[in-house]
Short mmCIF file of all heavy atoms in Angstrom, two decimals:
data_model
loop_
_atom_site.label_atom_id
_atom_site.label_comp_id
_atom_site.label_asym_id
_atom_site.label_seq_id
_atom_site.Cartn_x
_atom_site.Cartn_y
_atom_site.Cartn_z
N VAL S 14 -25.02 88.31 -87.28
CA VAL S 14 -26.15 87.69 -87.97
C VAL S 14 -26.86 88.87 -88.99
O VAL S 14 -27.15 88.54 -90.09
CB VAL S 14 -27.18 87.22 -87.01
CG1 VAL S 14 -28.59 86.87 -87.76
CG2 VAL S 14 -26.69 85.92 -86.22
N ALA S 15 -26.92 90.15 -88.51
CA ALA S 15 -27.74 91.08 -89.17
C ALA S 15 -27.30 91.28 -90.64
O ALA S 15 -28.11 91.37 -91.60
CB ALA S 15 -27.59 92.39 -88.39
N PRO S 16 -26.08 91.26 -90.99
CA PRO S 16 -25.62 91.52 -92.37
C PRO S 16 -25.63 90.24 -93.28
O PRO S 16 -25.55 90.33 -94.46
CB PRO S 16 -24.20 92.13 -92.23
CG PRO S 16 -23.66 91.49 -91.16
CD PRO S 16 -24.69 91.32 -90.14
N VAL S 17 -25.96 89.17 -92.56
CA VAL S 17 -25.71 87.80 -93.45
C VAL S 17 -27.12 87.18 -93.62
O VAL S 17 -27.39 86.64 -94.71
CB VAL S 17 -24.76 86.85 -92.70
CG1 VAL S 17 -24.73 85.42 -93.38
CG2 VAL S 17 -23.49 87.55 -92.61
N VAL S 18 -27.93 87.06 -92.72
CA VAL S 18 -29.22 86.42 -92.83
C VAL S 18 -30.19 87.29 -93.56
O VAL S 18 -30.38 88.54 -93.28
CB VAL S 18 -29.75 86.01 -91.42
CG1 VAL S 18 -31.26 85.51 -91.51
CG2 VAL S 18 -28.85 85.12 -90.72
N ALA S 19 -30.85 86.66 -94.54
CA ALA S 19 -31.93 87.32 -95.30
C ALA S 19 -32.96 86.38 -95.72
O ALA S 19 -32.62 85.11 -95.89
CB ALA S 19 -31.31 88.15 -96.46
N LYS S 20 -34.13 86.83 -96.05
CA LYS S 20 -35.21 85.89 -96.67
C LYS S 20 -34.62 85.05 -97.81
O LYS S 20 -34.06 85.65 -98.75
CB LYS S 20 -36.38 86.79 -96.92
CG LYS S 20 -37.64 85.92 -97.39
CD LYS S 20 -38.87 86.76 -97.63
CE LYS S 20 -39.93 86.01 -98.09
NZ LYS S 20 -41.12 86.80 -98.29
N GLY S 21 -34.84 83.72 -97.65
CA GLY S 21 -34.52 82.85 -98.75
C GLY S 21 -33.14 82.30 -98.67
O GLY S 21 -32.80 81.40 -99.43
N ARG S 22 -32.37 82.72 -97.71
CA ARG S 22 -30.95 82.24 -97.55
C ARG S 22 -31.02 80.84 -96.66
O ARG S 22 -31.74 80.77 -95.75
CB ARG S 22 -30.15 83.29 -96.80
CG ARG S 22 -29.94 84.51 -97.74
CD ARG S 22 -28.49 85.00 -97.80
NE ARG S 22 -28.51 86.16 -98.62
CZ ARG S 22 -28.12 87.30 -98.18
NH1 ARG S 22 -27.74 87.50 -96.97
NH2 ARG S 22 -28.14 88.35 -99.16
N PRO S 23 -30.08 80.02 -97.02
CA PRO S 23 -29.95 78.72 -96.31
C PRO S 23 -29.22 78.98 -94.98
O PRO S 23 -28.16 79.57 -94.91
CB PRO S 23 -29.07 77.85 -97.31
CG PRO S 23 -28.31 78.84 -97.95
CD PRO S 23 -29.09 80.08 -98.16
N ILE S 24 -29.84 78.47 -93.91
CA ILE S 24 -29.35 78.87 -92.55
C ILE S 24 -29.16 77.60 -91.68
O ILE S 24 -29.86 76.67 -91.81
CB ILE S 24 -30.50 79.71 -91.70
CG1 ILE S 24 -30.84 80.98 -92.51
CG2 ILE S 24 -30.10 80.03 -90.26
CD1 ILE S 24 -29.78 81.92 -92.64
N ILE S 25 -28.17 77.70 -90.80
CA ILE S 25 -28.00 76.73 -89.71
C ILE S 25 -28.02 77.49 -88.45
O ILE S 25 -27.30 78.34 -88.34
CB ILE S 25 -26.64 75.96 -89.91
CG1 ILE S 25 -26.53 75.14 -91.13
CG2 ILE S 25 -26.45 75.07 -88.67
CD1 ILE S 25 -25.18 74.50 -91.40
N ALA S 26 -28.94 77.08 -87.61
CA ALA S 26 -29.02 77.74 -86.33
C ALA S 26 -29.05 76.75 -85.15
O ALA S 26 -29.52 75.77 -85.16
CB ALA S 26 -30.35 78.48 -86.24
N HIS S 27 -28.24 77.20 -84.06
CA HIS S 27 -28.14 76.26 -82.88
C HIS S 27 -28.45 77.09 -81.74
O HIS S 27 -28.12 78.22 -81.66
CB HIS S 27 -26.58 75.76 -82.78
CG HIS S 27 -26.38 74.87 -81.53
ND1 HIS S 27 -26.75 73.65 -81.50
CD2 HIS S 27 -25.82 75.24 -80.34
CE1 HIS S 27 -26.49 73.08 -80.28
NE2 HIS S 27 -25.90 74.08 -79.55
N GLY S 28 -29.18 76.44 -80.79
CA GLY S 28 -29.54 77.22 -79.56
C GLY S 28 -30.50 76.42 -78.76
O GLY S 28 -30.79 75.31 -79.03
N GLN S 29 -31.07 77.18 -77.88
CA GLN S 29 -32.04 76.53 -76.85
C GLN S 29 -33.50 76.85 -77.37
O GLN S 29 -33.92 77.81 -77.71
CB GLN S 29 -31.92 77.35 -75.53
CG GLN S 29 -32.82 76.84 -74.39
CD GLN S 29 -32.68 77.61 -73.18
OE1 GLN S 29 -31.94 78.47 -72.99
NE2 GLN S 29 -33.59 77.25 -72.19
N LEU S 30 -34.33 75.74 -77.32
CA LEU S 30 -35.59 75.70 -77.75
C LEU S 30 -36.56 75.88 -76.59
O LEU S 30 -36.34 75.33 -75.46
CB LEU S 30 -36.00 74.45 -78.48
CG LEU S 30 -35.51 74.17 -79.86
CD1 LEU S 30 -36.01 72.86 -80.44
CD2 LEU S 30 -36.00 75.26 -80.93
N LYS S 31 -37.60 76.55 -76.86
CA LYS S 31 -38.72 76.77 -76.00
C LYS S 31 -40.03 77.06 -76.71
O LYS S 31 -39.95 77.43 -77.83
CB LYS S 31 -38.43 77.86 -74.94
CG LYS S 31 -38.42 79.21 -75.52
CD LYS S 31 -38.17 80.23 -74.44
CE LYS S 31 -38.22 81.62 -75.04
NZ LYS S 31 -38.14 82.73 -74.01
N THR S 32 -41.14 76.67 -76.11
CA THR S 32 -42.43 76.85 -76.64
C THR S 32 -43.02 78.21 -75.90
O THR S 32 -42.98 78.16 -74.71
CB THR S 32 -43.41 75.73 -76.33
OG1 THR S 32 -42.80 74.64 -76.92
CG2 THR S 32 -44.82 75.93 -76.91
N ASN S 33 -43.51 79.20 -76.80
CA ASN S 33 -44.16 80.31 -76.19
C ASN S 33 -45.68 80.03 -76.38
O ASN S 33 -46.09 79.78 -77.43
CB ASN S 33 -43.83 81.56 -77.00
CG ASN S 33 -42.41 82.01 -76.75
OD1 ASN S 33 -41.91 81.80 -75.70
ND2 ASN S 33 -41.72 82.46 -77.87
N GLU S 34 -46.41 80.10 -75.29
CA GLU S 34 -47.81 79.99 -75.30
C GLU S 34 -48.41 81.45 -74.98
O GLU S 34 -48.04 82.27 -74.19
CB GLU S 34 -48.29 79.06 -74.29
CG GLU S 34 -47.78 77.69 -74.53
CD GLU S 34 -48.20 76.66 -73.48
OE1 GLU S 34 -48.89 77.03 -72.41
OE2 GLU S 34 -47.93 75.56 -73.66
N TYR S 35 -49.48 81.80 -75.92
CA TYR S 35 -50.22 83.04 -75.77
C TYR S 35 -51.65 82.98 -76.22
O TYR S 35 -52.04 81.94 -76.70
CB TYR S 35 -49.42 84.09 -76.62
CG TYR S 35 -49.35 83.78 -78.00
CD1 TYR S 35 -50.18 84.27 -78.93
CD2 TYR S 35 -48.41 82.90 -78.53
CE1 TYR S 35 -50.23 84.02 -80.29
CE2 TYR S 35 -48.25 82.53 -79.88
CZ TYR S 35 -49.18 83.09 -80.77
OH TYR S 35 -49.24 82.76 -82.22
N VAL S 36 -52.32 84.05 -75.87
CA VAL S 36 -53.62 84.19 -76.43
C VAL S 36 -53.78 85.06 -77.54
O VAL S 36 -53.30 86.30 -77.47
CB VAL S 36 -54.71 84.59 -75.30
CG1 VAL S 36 -56.03 84.84 -75.76
CG2 VAL S 36 -54.55 83.59 -74.25
N SER S 37 -54.37 84.65 -78.74
CA SER S 37 -54.38 85.65 -79.86
C SER S 37 -55.43 86.63 -79.66
O SER S 37 -56.16 86.75 -78.69
CB SER S 37 -54.68 84.73 -81.04
OG SER S 37 -56.05 84.31 -81.07
N ASP S 38 -55.45 87.67 -80.57
CA ASP S 38 -56.43 88.71 -80.64
C ASP S 38 -57.74 88.28 -80.61
O ASP S 38 -58.63 89.01 -79.87
CB ASP S 38 -56.15 89.77 -81.66
CG ASP S 38 -54.75 90.37 -81.60
OD1 ASP S 38 -54.21 90.52 -80.53
OD2 ASP S 38 -54.28 90.93 -82.58
N ASN S 39 -58.07 87.25 -81.24
CA ASN S 39 -59.51 86.70 -81.16
C ASN S 39 -59.80 85.65 -80.09
O ASN S 39 -60.80 85.00 -80.05
CB ASN S 39 -59.84 86.09 -82.46
CG ASN S 39 -59.00 85.01 -82.92
OD1 ASN S 39 -58.13 84.58 -82.23
ND2 ASN S 39 -59.24 84.31 -84.18
N GLY S 40 -58.89 85.62 -79.00
CA GLY S 40 -59.14 84.77 -77.84
C GLY S 40 -58.62 83.42 -77.91
O GLY S 40 -58.79 82.59 -76.93
N GLU S 41 -58.08 82.85 -78.99
CA GLU S 41 -57.58 81.55 -79.19
C GLU S 41 -56.32 81.30 -78.47
O GLU S 41 -55.38 82.21 -78.60
CB GLU S 41 -57.32 81.19 -80.67
CG GLU S 41 -58.68 81.16 -81.52
CD GLU S 41 -58.31 80.76 -82.91
OE1 GLU S 41 -57.53 79.79 -83.07
OE2 GLU S 41 -58.93 81.43 -83.71
N ARG S 42 -56.12 80.24 -77.86
CA ARG S 42 -54.78 79.84 -77.16
C ARG S 42 -53.96 79.33 -78.21
O ARG S 42 -54.32 78.45 -79.06
CB ARG S 42 -55.04 78.70 -76.02
CG ARG S 42 -55.70 79.41 -74.83
CD ARG S 42 -55.74 78.34 -73.69
NE ARG S 42 -54.39 77.64 -73.50
CZ ARG S 42 -53.61 78.08 -72.63
NH1 ARG S 42 -53.72 79.37 -72.04
NH2 ARG S 42 -52.56 77.54 -72.33
N ARG S 43 -52.78 79.84 -78.43
CA ARG S 43 -51.80 79.47 -79.46
C ARG S 43 -50.34 79.20 -78.81
O ARG S 43 -50.12 79.57 -77.64
CB ARG S 43 -51.71 80.54 -80.51
CG ARG S 43 -52.98 80.66 -81.33
CD ARG S 43 -52.77 81.56 -82.52
NE ARG S 43 -53.93 81.52 -83.27
CZ ARG S 43 -54.00 82.07 -84.47
NH1 ARG S 43 -52.96 82.66 -85.01
NH2 ARG S 43 -55.18 82.13 -85.03
#
């Protein structure tokens, strides 16, 4: 992936999805 993926390039990605929950620096849950 490192030599091929770059900003603006068309990508197909396959994998496992998950949601990350966290608290921002200003205390908001995101």
Side-chain angles (χ1 to χ4, degrees):
V14 170
V17 174
V18 172
K20 183 178 180 178
R22 297 224 177 118
I24 302 296
I25 298 176
H27 178 80
Q29 180 183 355
L30 282 180
K31 67 178 181 178
T32 302
N33 290 323
E34 296 180 356
Y35 61 96
V36 177
S37 68
D38 293 338
N39 61 359
E41 292 180 46
R42 292 184 48 84
R43 294 191 176 187

